[in-house]
Amino acid sequence: MPLYTTQKLKIYNSLSGEKETFVPIHEGSIGMYVCGPTVYSNVHLGNVRTFMSFDIIFRYLLHLGYKVRYVRNITDVGHIVDDAEDGEDKIAKKARLEQLEPMEVVQRYTVDFHEILKAFNFLPPSIEPTATGHLIEQIEIIKTIIDKGIGYEANGSVYFDVVKFNETNHYGRLSGRNIEDMLANTRDLDGQTDKRNPQDFALWKKAEPQHIMRWPSPWSEGFPGWHLECTAMSTKYLGNHFDIHGGGMDLKFPHHECEIAQNEACTGQTPVNYWMHANMLTLNGKKMAKSTGNNILPREILTGENSILSKAFPASVARFFMLQAHYRSILDFSDDAIVAAEKGYKRLMEALATLKQISASASSTLDIASWKQSCYDAMNDDFNSPILIAQLFEGVRFINLLNDGKETLNAVDLENLSSTMNAFIFDVLGLEDEKIADGNNDKLEAVVNMLIGMRNQARADKNFKLSDQIRDQLIAYGIQLKDGKEGTTFSV
């Protein structure tokens, strides 16, 4: 019997603003769509945090026994700079600056995206469609919206008539807006636009002569609107009505709002049952931005080649750090925070190693069944990873008590403790036991001990300049020497 039959999952639905009991459209099967990256630059840490949130959600749904079709797109056209209606496509702009073909830019940064997500141990989605691979579907949706009287052509571009749509629907309900306030707060453009209303958004844009990314359509040579791409790809692979749609909090308006409008205009029904949004990541208490230098790329965390962190950190440590905050909470990244996370991560891995050495007893003195359910309760409460981690450290406490001989477990309970710890740490949280990091630590210890020997010899030879140089250089690399009665030890 699948676990989902006994576990009651609740999801915070951005559409209702409440936690709701999750009931899939089709029992045992889930359709989930998450807005993927616009591939015009290296994936940034905020993106990784968002996609990690949905990786955890994907993993837990699979753990519960659901069959999940997870669709995450690649936006490779149509995303205008600063998300405005007019301007230069982000990919085209990058291509012009670097003197590349646009699809070279797409390929370069799609590869980077996949490499980073693989390094952080993300499960691949079931389907990863591209916007340029679904232009026919997008054009057909535009035709339908025009036929329904909610889309209109103007000088080769096609726009969605928000006011017309709002006569029978509510444009703005996902983000808590209403059309009257939006229109009242929008500056009148005095004929500088082809739009009937300032809030109307593009379904198709006619390409200006200098615009290098363009395709033929019934209206003009041009390119699709950014919002339209996700509507086409989500409905093609998940149907007009599916279970979960996710993305970053910044996409709630206008992107997801426009998706809802497009779907409802075409089909007359709401497209998604549960809208989920992951919150933002800050760096040292401030918004991350290249322009201010308050920025770090995911790869730079792994290599240590940055001016933000004191050293390099394994991907699982960075992953563990991110999972210590709930996906709907703002998370602040800093050197102190990830150093603390590394200590917690090591405690988990050390406990698992200790658990393998513990033998079963004739009786149990710990309530493993209740503890196990508390782990599920945490994830059933809108995927609350920080509470789950707290429960896993309760499991660490159990392991230490067992190892010290202060508590006992029979064979069944010991196996239950072991399988639960392993399932939630590796399968659900997606952490890895950093064997490579452990190997590096062994090599590091050997090298530092060799340097300690050289320093001891230098001190015996009264070459204090060299001994101090060795000590100071190690400190610069984050390695602290401590001289004691039993000799010299070090800490990292």
Side-chain angles (χ1 to χ4, degrees), residues 108-287:
R108 173 185 296 178
Y109 295 114
T110 300
V111 169
D112 171 75
F113 176 67
H114 288 150
E115 287 178 346
I116 291 298
L117 266 55
K118 183 177 181 181
F120 281 83
N121 198 32
F122 282 53
L123 295 178
S126 314
I127 303 172
E128 191 174 53
T130 64
T132 55
H134 295 77
L135 287 161
I136 293 173
E137 290 85 353
Q138 293 173 71
I139 288 171
E140 290 303 311
I141 289 174
I142 296 172
K143 289 178 181 177
T144 300
I145 292 174
I146 291 174
D147 290 344
K148 294 287 183 74
I150 302 175
Y152 59 92
E153 186 268 340
N155 294 324
S157 294
V158 182
Y159 297 96
F160 188 96
D161 192 331
V162 170
V163 172
K164 181 72 173 176
F165 171 77
N166 204 62
E167 290 175 1
T168 54
N169 298 272
H170 180 188
Y171 179 79
R173 71 179 183 276
L174 177 66
S175 54
R177 292 167 164 84
N178 67 71
I179 190 66
E180 291 79 12
D181 290 343
M182 284 189 275
L183 291 172
N185 293 328
T186 304
R187 179 173 58 86
D188 186 2
L189 297 179
D190 293 328
Q192 295 178 18
T193 176
D194 294 321
K195 296 180 185 180
R196 293 176 182 171
N197 312 290
Q199 295 300 325
D200 293 353
F201 56 89
L203 300 171
W204 185 267
K205 287 290 288 182
K206 180 181 179 180
E208 298 299 324
Q210 70 274 15
H211 199 101
I212 54 180
M213 300 185 78
R214 56 174 67 214
W215 291 265
S217 79
W219 310 284
S220 66
E221 274 207 350
F223 53 94
W226 171 39
H227 315 304
L228 186 67
E229 299 165 5
C230 286
T231 293
M233 290 182 279
S234 63
T235 55
K236 175 164 184 174
Y237 298 109
L238 300 176
N240 293 333
H241 186 206
F242 55 95
D243 297 292
I244 298 171
H245 193 314
M249 197 78 76
D250 57 316
L251 298 182
K252 187 183 290 188
F253 186 88
H255 185 52
H256 290 159
E257 202 74 75
C258 294
E259 277 194 67
I260 292 174
Q262 289 166 162
N263 281 71
E264 291 185 351
C266 284
T267 67
Q269 61 177 317
T270 186
V272 178
N273 283 356
Y274 304 89
W275 284 89
M276 302 183 69
H277 293 93
N279 216 323
M280 65 185 291
L281 183 75
T282 57
L283 179 59
N284 290 322
K286 299 177 182 178
K287 184 178 179 180

Side-chain angles (χ1 to χ4, degrees), residues 360-362 364 368 372 409-419:
S361 180
S364 295
I368 299 302
K372 179 178 180 178
L409 286 181
N410 63 36
V412 172
D413 283 341
L414 184 61
E415 169 57 28
N416 212 3
L417 173 62
S418 178
S419 62

